[in-house]
Amino acid sequence: GGGGGGGGTLPATQRAHYHVRREACLFRADPFLRVHDGASVTAEWLDSFAFNSPFVVPTPRGLGLAAPPNLDMATFERLLGRQFPVQVIDVDEQAEIARTWTIRRWAKYFRTPRERRTRTLNVLSLEVSKTRLAGVLRAPRVVQQLSWASRLAPPPRVQLYALMSAAGSFTDFHVDFGGSSVFYHVMSGRKVFYLVAPTARNLVLFERWSLRAENQRNGRVFFADLVPPDDRYRVELAPGNTYFMPAGWIHAVYTPVDSIVLGGNFLHSHAVPMQLTVRGIEQRTEVDERFCFPGFDSLCWLAANQLAADPTRVGPEDVAAAAALADYL
């Protein structure tokens, strides 16, 4: 997903420090809801659930999602074409490699046994909604129902990412761009999410930490150490699991084994105040526009117009959304 900009070299001592902090920092055992019937995850259910806590759907049945568990590098090469460009992140640097790779080169790297790799690399920005991969991959039905972007023509390309992470990959704490909500389906491998609840205090701490991290790239504080222990959670995902994360949750991601994931970002009407709060943080911390949600303001205008045109939208959430949008726009 998006929002993972920024970077700077992490020396070996810092990498070791991160690993130690990740293991030592106390995260609460995952208390989040498991929804065993994917068909029950509807826009109406999310409305009643308020969707302000993450939840996991252990198996994809009923979600309306398409994600073959046997999707391999040969399929990527065949459907995208071997010269298809991909942006690759060097995990030790926490930054994009300057030269764009091809899928062919990435596939060769990913097939190399872990002990023979010289670098730990990660592909997080391969959006495939306008490629032949979209013929075999599909976001959950509820995402298509809720997403503002699906009402825009053409929709912003943020709804269908193929994420490929080498074992040992780590993405530092961030909030997904524009405060977007996320779906995340593990096709193969495993993922560990380290979560920090987006309380007002934690978002202020995150903003300060982000500014400091930009200025002190080589001496980063492990963000989770700064927040109350009760606000920290660890969620581990296995193949077949689909994870839904609401707006604003601050998170880092660790990849214990080579993993392929289908993910996507979406803005929606149930999270307007938090989406705008995160947009404010992005503006104040001067996040590069390349790492911001494309068409964010246009989508906000669209949502505001729809709210204004629907006389039935008078609940407390609708009033809060309208007030927040009026303030922002």
Side-chain angles (χ1 to χ4, degrees):
T9 302
L10 290 175
T13 50
Q14 181 75 358
R15 290 199 300 275
H17 164 74
Y18 261 55
H19 186 69
V20 168
R21 287 312 313 145
R22 199 182 65 246
E23 294 301 321
C25 186
L26 293 177
F27 290 84
R28 293 175 64 185
D30 167 4
F32 301 116
L33 185 66
R34 295 300 189 271
V35 182
H36 291 279
D37 175 18
S40 70
V41 181
T42 62
E44 295 73 31
W45 177 78
L46 271 191
D47 197 8
S48 64
F49 174 61
F51 192 28
N52 49 22
S53 284
F55 64 95
V56 177
V57 184
T59 62
R61 191 174 58 253
L63 274 174
L65 169 139
N70 57 353
L71 196 68
D72 59 7
M73 287 301 105
T75 309
F76 278 93
E77 289 183 288
R78 188 179 83 253
L79 292 179
L80 292 177
R82 298 176 82 185
Q83 297 307 309
F84 194 89
V86 284
Q87 283 293 341
V88 177
I89 291 170
D90 186 313
V91 171
D92 288 349
E93 304 279 338
Q94 289 284 298
E96 285 181 346
I97 293 172
R99 289 184 69 176
T100 302
W101 282 30
T102 60
I103 276 289
R104 179 184 185 177
R105 185 176 177 189
W106 172 260
K108 185 180 178 188
Y109 165 81
F110 210 63
R111 290 187 186 111
T112 305
R114 182 178 184 179
E115 62 276 8
R116 298 213 340 251
R117 294 173 184 161
T118 55
R119 293 191 285 182
T120 304
L121 303 178
N122 210 351
V123 168
L124 299 178
S125 55
L126 176 58
E127 212 284 345
V128 298
S129 62
K130 291 286 187 285
T131 72
R132 286 172 63 201
L133 266 175
V136 295
L137 300 173
R138 188 172 63 247
R141 188 185 311 104
V142 71
V143 172
Q144 299 168 51
Q145 289 171 344
L146 286 179
S147 174
W148 288 352
S150 48
R151 299 172 205 157
L152 265 193
R157 293 184 55 184
V158 295
Q159 301 199 81
L160 211 57
Y161 287 99
L163 312 170
M164 297 175 278
S165 307
S169 290
F170 180 73
T171 303
D172 206 350
F173 285 93
H174 64 286
V175 177
D176 273 44
F177 51 16
S180 51
S181 300
V182 175
F183 85 88
Y184 203 87
H185 175 81
V186 180
M187 290 186 275
S188 59
R190 277 191 305 131
K191 288 280 180 173
V192 182
F193 274 72
Y194 297 94
L195 303 174
V196 172
T199 63
R201 179 173 184 265
N202 290 342
L203 287 168
V204 168
L205 289 169
F206 174 74
E207 183 171 341
R208 286 184 194 149
W209 174 83
S210 299
L211 287 165
R212 213 165 43 237
E214 282 302 304
N215 297 331
Q216 302 172 352
R217 289 173 183 246
N218 299 347
R220 291 192 177 171
V221 172
F222 190 69
F223 174 68
D225 285 334
L226 302 177
V227 306
D230 281 357
D231 289 345
R232 305 190 294 236
Y233 305 93
R234 180 184 187 277
V235 176
E236 185 153 349
L237 302 173
N241 292 175
T242 307
Y243 170 65
F244 288 86
M245 185 169 63
W249 280 70
I250 304 158
H251 59 287
V253 187
Y254 177 64
T255 310
V257 294
D258 287 0
S259 300
I260 300 178
V261 167
L262 176 67
N265 295 73
F266 58 105
L267 298 172
H268 60 98
S269 297
H270 301 298
V272 173
M274 181 60 80
Q275 288 164 184
L276 297 175
T277 295
V278 172
R279 182 66 188 130
I281 292 172
E282 290 175 345
Q283 289 170 332
R284 291 188 298 275
T285 57
E286 298 182 354
V287 171
D288 188 318
E289 278 300 313
R290 288 187 311 133
F291 303 118
C292 293
F293 197 105
F296 184 88
D297 287 2
S298 302
L299 289 165
C300 285
W301 278 110
L302 189 76
N305 288 333
Q306 286 185 334
L307 260 177
D310 186 346
T312 66
R313 301 286 297 277
V314 290
E317 188 183 67
D318 300 318
V319 172
L325 284 164
D327 201 34
Y328 175 73
L329 296 168

